Amino acid sequence: MKTSKTTLTVLLLSLFSSTIYSQELLNFTVKGKVTHNFDEYIYLSYAAKVDSFLVKDNRFEFEGQVPNRLEAKVHTKGGYVTDSFYLDDGTTTVSVSIKDKVTSIESIEGNKTHETLMGLQAFFEDNEDEPDFQNQMYKRLDKIISENPSSQFSGSLLGEIIMDPIFSFEEAMSLYSKLDTTVQDEFDLSAMKVSLDKLKNSKTGKQFSPITLPDMNGNMVGIDDYKGSFLLVEFWASWCGGCRVANPELVDIRREFISKGFDIMGISLDENRTAWLTAIEKDGLTWENTIAEGGFKNETIENLKIQYLPSNYLLDRNGKIIAINISPKILRIKLKELMGEEE
Protein backbone atom coordinates (compact mmCIF):
# COMPACT_ATOMS: atom_id res chain seq x y z
CA MET A 1 0.00 0.00 0.00
CA LYS A 2 1.37 3.41 -0.95
CA THR A 3 0.04 5.95 1.45
CA SER A 4 1.06 8.96 3.44
CA LYS A 5 1.75 7.96 7.00
CA THR A 6 1.89 10.00 10.18
CA THR A 7 1.70 7.51 13.04
CA LEU A 8 0.32 4.08 13.63
CA THR A 9 -2.74 5.78 15.10
CA VAL A 10 -3.65 7.06 11.64
CA LEU A 11 -3.33 3.61 10.24
CA LEU A 12 -5.60 2.20 12.99
CA LEU A 13 -8.17 4.92 12.36
CA SER A 14 -8.66 3.55 8.86
CA LEU A 15 -9.56 0.06 10.13
CA PHE A 16 -12.33 -1.65 12.07
CA SER A 17 -11.99 -5.00 13.80
CA SER A 18 -13.93 -7.81 15.46
CA THR A 19 -13.15 -9.98 18.45
CA ILE A 20 -15.56 -12.88 18.06
CA TYR A 21 -15.26 -15.50 15.34
CA SER A 22 -18.00 -17.88 14.30
CA GLN A 23 -18.36 -20.29 11.40
CA GLU A 24 -22.10 -19.52 11.30
CA LEU A 25 -23.48 -16.84 9.00
CA LEU A 26 -23.59 -13.37 10.48
CA ASN A 27 -26.88 -11.52 10.25
CA PHE A 28 -26.16 -7.84 9.81
CA THR A 29 -28.31 -4.72 9.75
CA VAL A 30 -26.92 -1.32 8.80
CA LYS A 31 -29.14 1.60 9.76
CA GLY A 32 -27.92 4.90 8.41
CA LYS A 33 -28.60 8.61 8.46
CA VAL A 34 -27.38 11.27 6.05
CA THR A 35 -26.49 14.43 7.96
CA HIS A 36 -28.09 16.71 5.34
CA ASN A 37 -30.92 16.58 2.81
CA PHE A 38 -30.41 13.68 0.42
CA ASP A 39 -33.13 11.76 -1.45
CA GLU A 40 -31.23 9.63 -3.96
CA TYR A 41 -30.12 6.00 -3.96
CA ILE A 42 -27.30 5.01 -1.65
CA TYR A 43 -25.29 1.79 -1.99
CA LEU A 44 -23.65 -0.76 0.29
CA SER A 45 -20.74 -2.62 -1.33
CA TYR A 46 -19.08 -5.68 0.22
CA ALA A 47 -17.22 -8.59 -1.36
CA ALA A 48 -18.58 -8.74 -4.93
CA LYS A 49 -22.07 -7.60 -3.91
CA VAL A 50 -23.72 -4.19 -4.17
CA ASP A 51 -27.07 -3.45 -2.44
CA SER A 52 -29.08 -0.28 -3.05
CA PHE A 53 -31.60 1.70 -1.00
CA LEU A 54 -33.61 4.81 -1.88
CA VAL A 55 -32.99 7.27 0.93
CA LYS A 56 -36.19 8.56 2.59
CA ASP A 57 -36.19 11.33 5.19
CA ASN A 58 -32.39 11.16 5.02
CA ARG A 59 -32.42 7.58 6.30
CA PHE A 60 -31.49 4.21 4.82
CA GLU A 61 -31.24 0.58 5.93
CA PHE A 62 -29.57 -2.60 4.68
CA GLU A 63 -29.92 -6.19 5.88
CA GLY A 64 -28.15 -9.37 4.91
CA GLN A 65 -25.94 -12.29 5.81
CA VAL A 66 -22.19 -12.76 5.44
CA PRO A 67 -19.95 -15.77 6.18
CA ASN A 68 -17.51 -13.62 8.18
CA ARG A 69 -16.79 -10.00 8.95
CA LEU A 70 -16.32 -8.38 5.56
CA GLU A 71 -15.19 -4.87 4.71
CA ALA A 72 -18.06 -2.69 3.49
CA LYS A 73 -18.47 0.78 2.01
CA VAL A 74 -21.46 3.10 1.86
CA HIS A 75 -21.44 5.29 -1.25
CA THR A 76 -23.44 7.04 -3.95
CA LYS A 77 -23.67 5.91 -7.57
CA GLY A 78 -20.27 6.41 -9.14
CA GLY A 79 -19.12 8.12 -5.96
CA TYR A 80 -16.10 7.82 -3.69
CA VAL A 81 -15.57 7.05 -0.02
CA THR A 82 -13.12 8.18 2.66
CA ASP A 83 -13.93 5.40 5.13
CA SER A 84 -14.97 1.76 5.31
CA PHE A 85 -16.20 -0.49 8.11
CA TYR A 86 -16.75 -4.19 8.76
CA LEU A 87 -20.16 -5.83 8.65
CA ASP A 88 -20.85 -7.30 12.07
CA ASP A 89 -23.51 -9.47 13.67
CA GLY A 90 -26.43 -7.33 14.86
CA THR A 91 -27.30 -3.72 14.11
CA THR A 92 -24.73 -1.09 13.18
CA THR A 93 -25.86 2.54 13.12
CA VAL A 94 -23.89 4.89 10.91
CA SER A 95 -24.08 8.59 10.19
CA VAL A 96 -22.65 9.78 6.88
CA SER A 97 -22.10 13.03 5.03
CA ILE A 98 -22.02 13.34 1.25
CA LYS A 99 -20.23 16.14 -0.55
CA ASP A 100 -19.10 16.28 -4.18
CA LYS A 101 -19.91 12.56 -4.57
CA VAL A 102 -17.62 11.71 -1.64
CA THR A 103 -19.25 9.80 1.24
CA SER A 104 -17.64 10.10 4.68
CA ILE A 105 -18.59 8.24 7.85
CA GLU A 106 -19.23 10.70 10.69
CA SER A 107 -20.04 8.19 13.43
CA ILE A 108 -20.58 4.48 14.11
CA GLU A 109 -22.54 2.89 16.97
CA GLY A 110 -23.43 -0.67 17.99
CA ASN A 111 -20.54 -2.25 16.08
CA LYS A 112 -18.28 -4.64 18.02
CA THR A 113 -15.52 -4.18 15.47
CA HIS A 114 -15.54 -0.43 15.99
CA GLU A 115 -15.42 -0.85 19.76
CA THR A 116 -12.36 -3.08 19.41
CA LEU A 117 -10.74 -0.48 17.18
CA MET A 118 -11.28 2.22 19.79
CA GLY A 119 -9.70 0.01 22.45
CA LEU A 120 -6.69 -0.73 20.25
CA GLN A 121 -6.27 2.92 19.36
CA ALA A 122 -6.46 3.98 23.01
CA PHE A 123 -3.87 1.34 23.94
CA PHE A 124 -1.51 2.63 21.28
CA GLU A 125 -1.84 6.27 22.28
CA ASP A 126 -1.32 5.48 25.97
CA ASN A 127 1.57 3.04 25.61
CA GLU A 128 3.57 3.76 22.42
CA ASP A 129 6.51 5.13 24.43
CA GLU A 130 6.51 2.37 27.03
CA PRO A 131 9.46 -0.08 26.94
CA ASP A 132 7.13 -3.12 26.79
CA PHE A 133 4.92 -1.64 24.03
CA GLN A 134 6.06 -4.04 21.30
CA ASN A 135 5.40 -7.14 23.40
CA GLN A 136 2.00 -5.92 24.58
CA MET A 137 0.93 -4.93 21.06
CA TYR A 138 1.99 -8.35 19.79
CA LYS A 139 -0.13 -10.08 22.44
CA ARG A 140 -3.19 -8.00 21.51
CA LEU A 141 -2.80 -8.67 17.80
CA ASP A 142 -2.15 -12.35 18.42
CA LYS A 143 -5.41 -12.57 20.36
CA ILE A 144 -7.41 -10.75 17.65
CA ILE A 145 -5.99 -12.84 14.80
CA SER A 146 -6.19 -16.16 16.68
CA GLU A 147 -9.86 -15.56 17.50
CA ASN A 148 -10.66 -14.17 14.02
CA PRO A 149 -8.53 -16.06 11.45
CA SER A 150 -11.22 -15.73 8.75
CA SER A 151 -12.07 -12.09 9.42
CA GLN A 152 -10.86 -9.79 6.67
CA PHE A 153 -10.16 -7.27 9.38
CA SER A 154 -7.41 -9.51 10.75
CA GLY A 155 -5.67 -9.45 7.39
CA SER A 156 -6.17 -5.71 6.91
CA LEU A 157 -4.89 -4.93 10.39
CA LEU A 158 -1.81 -7.11 10.08
CA GLY A 159 -1.12 -5.80 6.58
CA GLU A 160 -1.18 -2.21 7.78
CA ILE A 161 0.82 -2.69 10.96
CA ILE A 162 3.70 -4.76 9.59
CA MET A 163 4.41 -2.05 7.03
CA ASP A 164 5.80 -0.21 10.06
CA PRO A 165 8.43 -2.62 11.47
CA ILE A 166 7.21 -2.80 15.05
CA PHE A 167 7.72 -6.56 14.98
CA SER A 168 10.59 -8.74 13.87
CA PHE A 169 10.27 -10.93 10.77
CA GLU A 170 9.76 -13.97 12.99
CA GLU A 171 6.99 -12.29 15.00
CA ALA A 172 5.22 -11.04 11.87
CA MET A 173 5.43 -14.50 10.27
CA SER A 174 3.96 -16.05 13.41
CA LEU A 175 0.95 -13.74 13.17
CA TYR A 176 0.64 -14.25 9.40
CA SER A 177 0.62 -18.04 9.81
CA LYS A 178 -2.54 -17.81 11.93
CA LEU A 179 -4.57 -16.13 9.18
CA ASP A 180 -6.98 -18.04 6.97
CA THR A 181 -5.49 -16.68 3.75
CA THR A 182 -8.19 -18.29 1.57
CA VAL A 183 -10.69 -15.56 2.55
CA GLN A 184 -8.40 -12.53 2.88
CA ASP A 185 -8.43 -9.61 0.48
CA GLU A 186 -5.90 -10.08 -2.34
CA PHE A 187 -4.57 -6.54 -1.95
CA ASP A 188 -3.92 -7.11 1.76
CA LEU A 189 -2.16 -10.41 1.07
CA SER A 190 0.03 -8.78 -1.55
CA ALA A 191 0.95 -5.93 0.83
CA MET A 192 1.77 -8.42 3.59
CA LYS A 193 4.11 -10.40 1.34
CA VAL A 194 5.99 -7.22 0.41
CA SER A 195 6.26 -6.21 4.06
CA LEU A 196 7.43 -9.66 5.16
CA ASP A 197 10.09 -9.69 2.48
CA LYS A 198 11.22 -6.24 3.63
CA LEU A 199 11.36 -7.34 7.27
CA LYS A 200 13.40 -10.39 6.31
CA ASN A 201 15.96 -8.50 4.25
CA SER A 202 16.16 -5.09 5.94
CA LYS A 203 16.79 -5.99 9.56
CA THR A 204 18.67 -3.80 11.97
CA GLY A 205 22.36 -4.65 11.88
CA LYS A 206 22.34 -5.26 8.13
CA GLN A 207 24.20 -3.08 5.65
CA PHE A 208 21.95 -0.56 3.92
CA SER A 209 21.76 -0.65 0.13
CA PRO A 210 24.39 1.60 -1.56
CA ILE A 211 21.83 3.74 -3.36
CA THR A 212 22.63 6.83 -5.45
CA LEU A 213 20.15 9.50 -6.60
CA PRO A 214 20.29 12.97 -8.22
CA ASP A 215 20.11 16.13 -6.12
CA MET A 216 18.46 19.45 -7.06
CA ASN A 217 21.25 20.24 -9.51
CA GLY A 218 21.42 16.80 -11.08
CA ASN A 219 24.54 15.77 -9.18
CA MET A 220 24.54 12.18 -7.92
CA VAL A 221 24.49 11.72 -4.14
CA GLY A 222 25.01 8.32 -2.54
CA ILE A 223 24.93 6.66 0.84
CA ASP A 224 28.68 6.11 0.66
CA ASP A 225 29.17 9.90 0.69
CA TYR A 226 28.17 9.86 4.36
CA LYS A 227 30.53 7.15 5.59
CA GLY A 228 31.78 8.12 9.04
CA SER A 229 28.53 9.83 10.03
CA PHE A 230 25.30 8.65 11.58
CA LEU A 231 22.78 9.13 8.78
CA LEU A 232 19.01 9.40 8.63
CA VAL A 233 17.80 8.40 5.16
CA GLU A 234 14.45 10.19 5.03
CA PHE A 235 11.85 9.30 2.37
CA TRP A 236 9.24 12.04 1.96
CA ALA A 237 7.21 14.14 -0.48
CA SER A 238 5.74 17.64 -0.62
CA TRP A 239 2.20 16.22 -0.59
CA CYS A 240 2.82 14.06 2.51
CA GLY A 241 1.26 15.77 5.54
CA GLY A 242 3.14 13.67 8.09
CA CYS A 243 6.42 14.44 6.34
CA ARG A 244 5.83 18.19 6.43
CA VAL A 245 4.93 18.05 10.14
CA ALA A 246 8.16 16.17 10.90
CA ASN A 247 10.44 18.42 8.84
CA PRO A 248 10.79 21.27 11.39
CA GLU A 249 11.72 18.74 14.09
CA LEU A 250 14.32 17.16 11.80
CA VAL A 251 15.77 20.60 11.05
CA ASP A 252 16.25 21.16 14.80
CA ILE A 253 17.74 17.71 15.34
CA ARG A 254 20.25 18.14 12.53
CA ARG A 255 21.26 21.55 13.88
CA GLU A 256 21.86 20.01 17.31
CA PHE A 257 23.83 16.95 16.23
CA ILE A 258 25.58 17.80 12.93
CA SER A 259 28.75 18.86 14.71
CA LYS A 260 28.86 15.44 16.40
CA GLY A 261 28.71 13.50 13.14
CA PHE A 262 25.03 13.23 12.24
CA ASP A 263 23.40 14.12 8.93
CA ILE A 264 20.25 13.60 6.88
CA MET A 265 19.83 12.53 3.26
CA GLY A 266 16.40 13.45 1.94
CA ILE A 267 14.85 11.31 -0.79
CA SER A 268 11.70 12.78 -2.30
CA LEU A 269 9.07 10.73 -4.10
CA ASP A 270 7.55 13.84 -5.66
CA GLU A 271 6.53 13.62 -9.29
CA ASN A 272 6.14 17.39 -9.44
CA ARG A 273 9.62 18.93 -9.37
CA THR A 274 8.35 22.45 -8.68
CA ALA A 275 6.32 21.28 -5.66
CA TRP A 276 9.41 19.44 -4.36
CA LEU A 277 11.69 22.47 -4.64
CA THR A 278 9.06 24.78 -3.13
CA ALA A 279 8.63 22.47 -0.11
CA ILE A 280 12.40 22.33 0.45
CA GLU A 281 12.57 26.11 0.56
CA LYS A 282 9.42 26.58 2.63
CA ASP A 283 10.43 23.97 5.25
CA GLY A 284 14.02 25.23 5.38
CA LEU A 285 15.59 21.83 4.69
CA THR A 286 19.33 22.32 4.99
CA TRP A 287 20.50 18.81 4.13
CA GLU A 288 21.17 17.21 0.76
CA ASN A 289 17.87 16.58 -0.98
CA THR A 290 17.63 14.00 -3.73
CA ILE A 291 14.67 12.85 -5.79
CA ALA A 292 13.50 9.39 -6.84
CA GLU A 293 12.00 10.25 -10.20
CA GLY A 294 8.83 8.29 -10.84
CA GLY A 295 7.86 8.23 -7.17
CA PHE A 296 6.83 4.82 -5.87
CA LYS A 297 7.56 3.31 -9.29
CA ASN A 298 11.21 4.35 -9.14
CA GLU A 299 13.48 1.29 -9.31
CA THR A 300 15.36 2.25 -6.13
CA ILE A 301 12.12 2.76 -4.21
CA GLU A 302 10.69 -0.53 -5.43
CA ASN A 303 13.89 -2.39 -4.50
CA LEU A 304 13.78 -0.89 -0.99
CA LYS A 305 10.05 -1.75 -0.79
CA ILE A 306 9.05 1.69 0.47
CA GLN A 307 5.28 1.40 0.90
CA TYR A 308 4.28 4.66 2.57
CA LEU A 309 5.55 8.07 3.62
CA PRO A 310 7.24 9.20 5.70
CA SER A 311 9.65 6.27 5.93
CA ASN A 312 13.25 6.30 7.09
CA TYR A 313 16.34 4.35 8.05
CA LEU A 314 18.87 5.40 10.68
CA LEU A 315 22.37 4.16 9.78
CA ASP A 316 25.51 3.93 11.88
CA ARG A 317 28.88 5.36 10.84
CA ASN A 318 29.54 2.27 8.70
CA GLY A 319 26.21 2.29 6.89
CA LYS A 320 24.53 -0.44 8.93
CA ILE A 321 20.86 -0.13 9.89
CA ILE A 322 20.28 0.97 13.50
CA ALA A 323 16.55 1.72 13.34
CA ILE A 324 13.70 1.73 10.82
CA ASN A 325 10.92 4.34 10.68
CA ILE A 326 12.09 6.15 13.79
CA SER A 327 10.07 9.18 14.94
CA PRO A 328 11.79 12.54 15.51
CA LYS A 329 11.19 12.21 19.25
CA ILE A 330 12.85 8.79 19.47
CA LEU A 331 15.56 9.84 16.99
CA ARG A 332 16.72 12.59 19.33
CA ILE A 333 16.83 10.15 22.26
CA LYS A 334 18.67 7.54 20.17
CA LEU A 335 21.29 10.03 18.96
CA LYS A 336 22.01 11.13 22.53
CA GLU A 337 22.53 7.48 23.45
CA LEU A 338 24.80 6.85 20.49
CA MET A 339 26.86 9.99 21.02
CA GLY A 340 27.13 9.21 24.73
CA GLU A 341 28.41 5.72 24.07
CA GLU A 342 31.26 7.15 22.00
CA GLU A 343 32.43 9.60 24.68
Side-chain angles (χ1 to χ4, degrees), residues 239-254:
W239 47 261
C240 165
C243 306
R244 304 297 295 274
V245 169
N247 277 342
E249 296 180 80
L250 294 179
V251 169
D252 289 341
I253 292 172
R254 182 174 185 268

Side-chain angles (χ1 to χ4, degrees), residues 206-209 223 227-229 315-321:
K206 285 197 170 186
Q207 200 73 28
F208 190 70
S209 301
I223 296 297
K227 276 288 178 67
S229 296
L315 312 182
D316 69 11
R317 297 188 188 277
N318 297 309
K320 291 185 178 180
I321 300 171

